[in-house]
Amino acid sequence: MPPSIHPVHLVTVLRQKSLTPAIVFLTSRRSCDEALQAFEHATDPLSPARQESITAVLDELTATYPSLQDHPLRKMVTACGVAAHHAGHLPSWKIAIEELMRRGCLDAVFATTTLAAGVDFPARTVVLTQSGVRRDQDFTDLTIAEVAQISGRAGRRGKDSVGFAIVTPSPYMDLGVLIRGLTGRPEPVDSQFIIAYPMVLNLLKAHPLDHIQSILAKSFAQYQMNAQAAHLEHRIEKLHAKLESYQPRECSDWLTQWSAYGHATRQTAMKLQARRHHPPEVRARLPYLTPGRVVAFPRFRGIVLRRYRSRGQRHEMMTVLRKGGVVAESPVADIMGVIDRTFDFAPASAFPWATPEALSWLTQQLEDLPKHLSFLTVPPAPDEEEGEVVKSLGDLFPCPTCPCRPTCAKEFKAANTVKQEWLHHTRTVQSLRTGLWHKFQERAEILQDLGYLNPAFKLTADGEWARLIRIDFSLLITELIRAQAFKDVAPPTLAGLMACIAYENDRPGSFPRITAALASLVAATRRMADALAPYDDPPLLRADVGGLAERWVSETTVTWAQLCRSTSMAEGDIYRLLSRTLEYLSQVHSLQATHPDLATVAAEALSRIRRGVLEELP
Amino acid sequence: MTRDELEQALADLPFRLLRRLGRAIAGPPALRMGKRRLMHTIMAGAEANIERIEAAIRTHQAEQQALAAVPAPAGGASSEHKSGKPADQRALLEGIGVPEPRPFVPDDWQVEAVEALERGDVIVSVPTGSGKTYVAVEATRRAMHEDRTVVYTSPLKALSNTKYTEFCKIFGPEFVGIITGDRRDNPTAPILIMTTEILRNLLYDAAGGEIDVRLDTLGLVIIDESQFLGDPERGVVWEETIIFCPSQARLLLLSASIGNPQELAAWLTSIRPAPCHLVRHQHRSVPLRAGYLHPNGKLTPLFRTVTMPPSPSQAVLHPEAKRLFTMFEEDTLYARRSG
């Protein structure tokens, strides 16, 4: 990145100030490689004496690790005295760089921040160029422990009187993070205890179910949860005392009582609000407003044609025939009174709600009505709804007439907050105390359903061998074995599948083609993983990386260099993929006693993987 | 005081005084104003509040004089990092180089850790590179004398290999064995190097009845990089190893500096037969200095003092480093904006 210091310039400055040897921590492998490439055009090579000493060390190591012989970076390291050290390199190359650093032959090493823990060699100076680190697609700040780990590499005991941590800025660097990291106290270590299926099987093999709870209680997870629970219990006691401090009431559980009463009142209030749109005198008239009824408005009369209430409208409405045959809509509340006269007419199902003949007849009748007509005396509508509510609430709750009512009303809000907190904490404490055990039981029951445990929670025949598979996705692998998925499988296909399961990185790349046999096995595995998804997280299961392991095992004449050329994956990643595959295969190999055929295939695959670079390294 | 003089005097006031004045004149909205708007507001209401403003200016001047009269505190332990003259830029590189060769004398804490192992488990939490290996080697030597098996575990295969080579040099290859996922060299040796996963599996097998001979005579389990206990993916393995570790064996947990070593020690004491001894310190065997290197090649101390500040709250940047970093940020911001 242009604004930050150029790597060649950086190393020149470090040399001038005699701050070498130094480890420069960069964010990505690519930036390490780019920094190293910048030295290709550097003009000042090392003195011949120093070049010779580097060559001597490399030659010495080549005896143990033949792959160093033709390493492409060898010339560069010898000429410039700088190197890159990251997960993309082969372990043998990393070992060589570490050895060179230990002997003080190199001036600078560019390493990734991600692997600060794996960088096990000291220097006089560490250079920090970034405050963040990439973790699972995300870019997060370095933790204090990580910065401490990095700065801990500065200063070699016996070789340096002072160590240096040099910060050099780059865009998007947060200096605050680094300052906190350099001076702060590291983060506490928290338990990451999880109950995995192999753990359940192995524990139940050695102990009866009744003892398990006491074993789980010994975990750091439980220790930390107990501390948390104790803290909460202290708080619960305080809250309890606070609740006790409220004066005793008529009823034993006044909080519940009052909140139920409050709830009921709110409910009925809402119901009443929904019904009560009309004043009582209007409501009393409603039963009389039938079609054909004559009603009086302040300045005219009319005949009701229909009464309705359209959707969403709160007021009762009616369609009224007025003088001169006018048909109008008007709210019920507008009428002055109900007149003691009705006409029978032939209704219609649509506007104007009466047949044309009836309408003209009614208009005529309206004209002919005498001037003075008496209003109908409407009996007042009983106020029954409200009366009913109060009566029923009074029946259900003592509160309306209780002498404590004002105190309850005053103190309820504060007391209820306390009680809710108390309840919440009580539940948390319960789950803290018993969570692990419940999780264990859950997992054990799943294993029971799948047939690894008998009803008495003892290992079945399947459970006896399944407990030997102690890797991630153990359940998937044991289920595949039980489903006979590996019947007549060839060693390369088995290795390919194990590589697919073991590889958890989604870095894209190009790989050798996989065979049809492996493709169908991966498809079967994916179906199985989907079926097991409720019990265990499925693996990423990338089919493409399997091609590498398959090729390495099937064609024993393929050299490491040829394998590397067939893919875009970095050497170090191929190495890690194959060594993970080795680990998985050796787990399958441990099933000799129960699955001799499969174990033989695994053994064959193991022996074929272990050649070339994979053999030279432990 | 003319208007210009007043404005000049106001500009010299610290922000907190300006804000107090602004609040007195314009009320609470002044609390949200920046310096320029505050000055504008105060100047707008200057006629009516001239006495108040002048009083504030006088107080400030009196404070400044008082500060100048009192000599700077002569480097008290805590105030040293906040006040006093910033460190000389040449002081950063003073004393650089190779120290006088000295005969190796173990530090007190190293001796303490080895001795405490006689009585019970030990947790060592010290900064990286301060000599944990010495404790491991010395403890191994003692266990060897008593004819007991030693298991040494580390999180990475690469670290196991380094330790294997190291232990072979110290104790002789015939006494050291290594077991990793796919390598078994001399697996019946009295000193066994392995990854933590392998030890966990051995403990499982032992509990399952398939007794492994080595576990009967197991006298010492050294768990290196025990801060991995908090690793989201692999931490559980460390925990299992510690829980299932046979009670006759001593545990030696070596860890980098962590935040809660007492909690770990208390946990071990609660589940293990003997109480756990905690050895911890923050002292680095080789002192550390922090520097700031500007892209133009200029090197200055990062902090006001050459030594490291003891806590983030006392970390004050060196004025030169601060100036250069601010400059860098402005430059890159401009470069980013102009594309």
Side-chain angles (χ1 to χ4, degrees):
Chain A
M1 276 172 270
S4 42
I5 193 163
H6 190 270
V8 179
H9 186 37
L10 171 68
V11 172
T12 316
V13 171
L14 292 176
R15 277 181 186 146
Q16 270 172 10
K17 313 260 180 193
S18 43
L19 285 169
T20 53
I23 311 173
V24 183
F25 283 96
L26 299 171
T27 23
S28 62
R29 296 174 189 187
R30 220 178 89 191
S31 46
C32 289
D33 291 337
E34 280 170 2
L36 199 63
Q37 270 164 22
F39 282 87
E40 271 177 16
H41 309 293
T43 43
D44 47 340
L46 288 184
S47 65
R50 283 195 59 190
Q51 293 207 14
E52 262 166 43
S53 67
I54 294 180
T55 317
V57 175
L58 284 178
D59 285 344
E60 188 189 321
L61 287 168
T62 310
T64 337
Y65 308 113
S67 61
L68 292 178
Q69 184 67 52
D70 308 313
H71 202 281
L73 291 171
R74 203 178 153 129
K75 216 177 112 202
M76 177 102 183
V77 169
T78 320
C80 308
V82 292
H85 181 284
H86 57 70
H89 291 307
L90 273 184
S92 59
W93 180 248
K94 290 200 279 184
I95 290 173
I97 301 299
E98 286 163 23
E99 192 57 35
L100 283 169
M101 272 307 264
R102 266 186 223 109
R103 303 208 193 168
C105 297
L106 294 181
D107 279 345
V109 167
F110 297 96
T112 48
T113 327
T114 341
L115 273 181
V119 178
D120 187 27
F121 50 90
R124 176 171 288 174
T125 308
V126 294
V127 180
L128 291 146
T129 60
Q130 282 286 344
S131 60
V133 62
R134 191 169 290 129
R135 281 190 198 94
D136 314 322
Q137 319 290 337
D138 258 5
F139 215 73
T140 53
D141 285 345
L142 286 168
T143 63
I144 295 178
E146 280 165 336
V147 179
Q149 184 82 257
I150 289 172
S151 63
R153 303 287 166 216
R156 296 161 298 174
R157 212 182 160 124
K159 286 190 195 162
D160 291 317
S161 35
V162 199
F164 292 91
I166 304 282
V167 176
T168 181
S170 61
Y172 310 108
M173 186 175 87
D174 186 349
L175 197 56
V177 171
L178 293 181
I179 292 174
R180 254 195 315 280
L182 284 170
T183 57
R185 216 175 106 117
E187 293 83 3
V189 163
D190 286 323
S191 172
Q192 303 289 337
F193 201 71
I194 34 166
I195 291 174
Y197 291 106
M199 189 199 282
V200 176
L201 286 176
N202 281 294
L203 279 178
L204 285 173
K205 163 76 180 168
H207 310 276
L209 188 67
D210 332 342
H211 291 186
I212 302 289
Q213 200 172 359
S214 64
I215 293 172
L216 292 176
K218 284 168 80 180
S219 66
F220 189 45
Q222 193 60 61
Y223 182 84
Q224 285 194 314
M225 288 196 281
N226 282 347
Q228 220 178 329
H231 178 76
L232 283 181
E233 268 161 4
H234 184 68
R235 176 102 190 104
I236 287 173
E237 258 171 47
K238 268 192 186 164
L239 290 172
H240 192 75
K242 218 175 187 180
L243 278 180
E244 293 285 299
S245 71
Y246 290 103
Q247 274 169 13
R249 307 291 149 100
E250 298 278 314
C251 42
S252 53
D253 188 3
W254 68 279
L255 273 169
T256 321
Q257 185 79 287
W258 183 263
S259 84
Y261 171 65
H263 190 69
T265 342
R266 272 195 304 280
Q267 283 286 51
T268 37
M270 258 190 289
K271 247 186 248 161
L272 287 178
Q273 203 187 16
R275 279 184 211 162
R276 232 193 257 155
H277 318 300
H278 303 296
E281 66 274 11
V282 174
R283 205 169 58 234
R285 285 180 201 140
L286 285 178
Y288 297 92
L289 299 176
T290 49
R293 168 70 67 182
V294 181
V295 287
F297 288 89
R299 308 177 81 178
F300 50 89
R301 290 174 186 159
I303 298 174
V304 178
L305 292 176
R306 67 154 186 163
R307 213 181 86 211
Y308 67 97
R309 181 171 172 169
S310 46
R311 190 182 297 168
Q313 216 161 26
R314 294 161 63 108
H315 296 278
E316 293 280 344
M317 299 286 289
M318 52 190 186
T319 311
V320 183
L321 176 72
R322 289 204 226 148
K323 206 169 95 180
V326 180
V327 178
E329 315 292 336
S330 102
V332 169
D334 281 5
I335 57 170
M336 263 172 63
V338 182
I339 292 169
D340 189 13
R341 184 72 64 90
T342 54
F343 299 103
D344 282 335
F345 64 92
S349 58
F351 186 84
W353 317 108
T355 53
E357 304 84 56
L359 207 61
S360 54
W361 177 71
L362 281 174
T363 318
Q364 192 56 45
Q365 292 299 318
L366 195 61
E367 295 284 324
D368 295 348
L369 277 176
K371 271 211 166 154
H372 296 286
L373 278 173
S374 58
F375 283 178
L376 198 67
T377 6
V378 177
D383 215 8
E384 56 189 338
E385 282 172 1
E386 212 169 356
E388 194 182 60
V389 169
V390 172
K391 206 174 83 202
S392 66
L393 277 183
D395 275 351
L396 285 170
F397 300 100
C399 297
T401 51
C402 175
C404 303
R405 186 177 167 156
T407 342
C408 288
K410 205 170 82 191
E411 293 178 346
F412 174 73
K413 209 171 162 190
N416 194 40
T417 323
V418 176
K419 193 187 168 191
Q420 291 306 325
E421 200 184 340
W422 178 79
L423 265 178
H424 176 77
H425 287 333
T426 317
R427 279 189 214 118
T428 317
V429 165
Q430 203 172 9
S431 75
L432 282 173
R433 295 268 186 213
T434 54
L436 271 186
W437 171 232
H438 285 303
K439 189 76 196 165
F440 186 91
Q441 283 173 314
E442 197 184 301
R443 295 257 144 159
E445 273 157 26
I446 291 170
L447 287 173
Q448 207 176 32
D449 290 345
L450 292 173
Y452 295 99
L453 293 171
N454 66 13
F457 290 100
K458 288 277 167 214
L459 271 64
T460 59
D462 277 340
E464 285 289 345
W465 61 261
R467 80 186 173 87
L468 297 175
I469 308 283
R470 292 154 182 163
I471 35 181
D472 299 342
F473 314 116
S474 58
L475 194 62
L476 175 65
I477 292 171
T478 54
E479 281 296 292
L480 281 172
I481 294 174
R482 290 174 83 202
Q484 304 282 332
F486 299 133
K487 208 169 175 239
D488 306 324
V489 74
T493 320
L494 184 63
L497 180 73
M498 289 302 157
C500 293
I501 297 177
Y503 195 68
E504 278 290 273
N505 197 331
D506 57 359
R507 199 182 282 244
S510 67
F511 301 92
R513 221 169 215 295
I514 60 171
T515 59
L518 178 55
S520 70
L521 188 55
V522 169
T525 310
R526 176 157 300 135
R527 279 196 296 279
M528 180 65 85
D530 289 344
L532 290 173
Y535 311 131
D536 210 358
D537 292 335
L540 191 61
L541 214 60
R542 277 178 69 165
D544 51 1
V545 293
L548 277 176
E550 202 181 19
R551 179 149 188 239
W552 185 246
V553 175
S554 65
E555 302 169 37
T556 42
T557 50
V558 171
T559 63
W560 182 255
Q562 282 170 334
L563 186 73
C564 292
R565 269 200 298 279
S566 69
T567 170
S568 62
M569 208 180 200
E571 249 185 331
D573 288 324
I574 306 177
Y575 177 84
R576 236 186 330 281
L577 171 72
L578 289 180
S579 72
R580 287 268 283 173
T581 310
L582 272 179
E583 219 172 283
Y584 275 52
L585 282 172
S586 51
Q587 295 271 320
V588 176
H589 179 59
S590 65
L591 302 180
Q592 284 144 323
T594 48
H595 301 78
D597 296 344
L598 184 60
T600 321
V601 176
E604 176 64 26
L606 280 171
S607 70
R608 288 203 215 166
I609 288 188
R610 281 203 194 102
R611 65 195 160 88
V613 172
L614 278 123
E615 196 188 30
E616 81 179 31
L617 287 162
Chain B
M1 222 183 235
T2 65
R3 225 180 143 76
D4 283 349
E5 275 173 5
L6 190 66
E7 199 160 344
Q8 188 54 47
L10 274 182
D12 289 344
L13 280 189
F15 187 65
R16 85 192 139 81
L17 283 182
L18 272 184
R19 204 151 76 150
R20 202 180 294 161
L21 271 179
R23 191 181 180 190
I25 293 168
L31 295 180
R32 287 195 296 273
M33 290 178 188
K35 185 162 181 174
R36 270 174 66 188
R37 262 192 77 196
L38 261 179
M39 297 224 343
H40 188 78
T41 318
I42 296 169
M43 288 307 289
E47 270 86 54
N49 297 283
I50 190 74
E51 279 163 25
R52 188 175 269 148
I53 296 173
E54 279 179 347
I57 293 171
R58 273 198 304 277
T59 338
H60 175 62
Q61 282 165 350
E63 270 174 21
Q64 287 301 100
Q65 278 163 8
L67 263 181
V70 176
S78 62
S79 60
E80 183 191 9
H81 297 278
K82 287 202 169 165
S83 57
K85 236 178 111 203
D88 186 14
Q89 292 179 33
R90 272 160 302 178
L92 178 68
L93 295 178
E94 223 161 72
I96 191 169
V98 184
E100 294 277 308
R102 254 178 294 172
F104 176 78
V105 181
D107 292 345
D108 288 347
W109 68 266
Q110 287 171 322
V111 178
E112 180 192 340
V114 176
E115 308 241 301
L117 214 49
E118 308 275 322
R119 300 185 295 276
D121 305 328
V122 173
I123 295 180
V124 176
S125 169
V126 295
T128 319
S130 51
K132 289 187 287 264
T133 313
Y134 171 83
V135 180
V137 169
E138 214 41 45
T140 307
R141 191 165 284 147
R142 293 202 179 190
M144 290 265 291
H145 274 299
E146 295 162 21
D147 259 350
R148 292 192 152 282
T149 311
V150 179
V151 171
Y152 183 102
T153 77
S154 74
L156 300 168
K157 240 193 265 178
L159 291 178
S160 294
N161 287 321
T162 320
K163 275 282 158 335
Y164 176 60
T165 330
E166 206 176 326
F167 274 54
C168 279
K169 270 185 205 150
I170 300 170
F171 296 102
E174 68 273 24
F175 291 112
V176 189
I178 184 167
I179 312 177
T180 59
D182 46 80
R183 179 186 185 189
R184 290 174 88 87
D185 276 3
N186 199 5
T188 49
I191 304 172
L192 284 174
I193 317 284
M194 53 180 84
T195 50
T196 315
E197 272 84 358
I198 300 289
L199 177 58
R200 194 265 317 255
N201 289 352
L202 283 181
L203 293 171
Y204 269 161
D205 288 340
E210 298 132 41
I211 292 290
D212 203 306
V213 206
R214 282 157 298 176
L215 291 183
D216 281 346
T217 56
L218 189 62
L220 176 65
V221 175
I222 305 171
I223 301 183
D224 202 356
E225 310 286 340
S226 348
Q227 74 274 13
F228 258 75
L229 190 82
D231 186 85
E233 275 161 36
R234 297 173 61 199
V236 58
V237 178
W238 268 251
E239 214 166 305
E240 283 174 278
T241 311
I242 294 171
I243 300 170
F244 302 134
C245 185
S247 52
Q248 92 275 0
R250 293 269 186 258
L251 267 176
L252 173 57
L253 267 57
L254 304 176
S255 129
S257 287
I258 54 170
N260 55 346
Q262 312 94 324
E263 200 180 4
L264 274 177
W267 168 53
L268 277 189
T269 307
S270 75
I271 64 164
R272 304 273 305 165
C276 173
H277 187 79
L278 172 66
V279 177
R280 67 181 298 200
H281 69 83
Q282 298 288 330
H283 176 74
R284 288 174 50 106
S285 51
V286 179
L288 183 71
R289 289 182 196 164
Y292 173 83
L293 179 65
H294 199 64
N296 67 9
K298 182 159 190 193
L299 183 68
T300 72
L302 180 64
F303 298 114
R304 222 179 152 85
T305 49
V306 167
T307 51
M308 298 294 274
S311 72
S313 60
Q314 292 183 29
V316 181
L317 284 187
H318 194 277
E320 186 63 12
K322 194 171 178 178
R323 186 181 72 83
L324 289 172
F325 186 71
T326 320
M327 212 165 80
F328 174 83
E329 282 208 310
E330 275 165 12
D331 284 356
T332 48
L333 261 180
Y334 178 71
R336 260 183 268 160
R337 253 190 241 134
S338 61

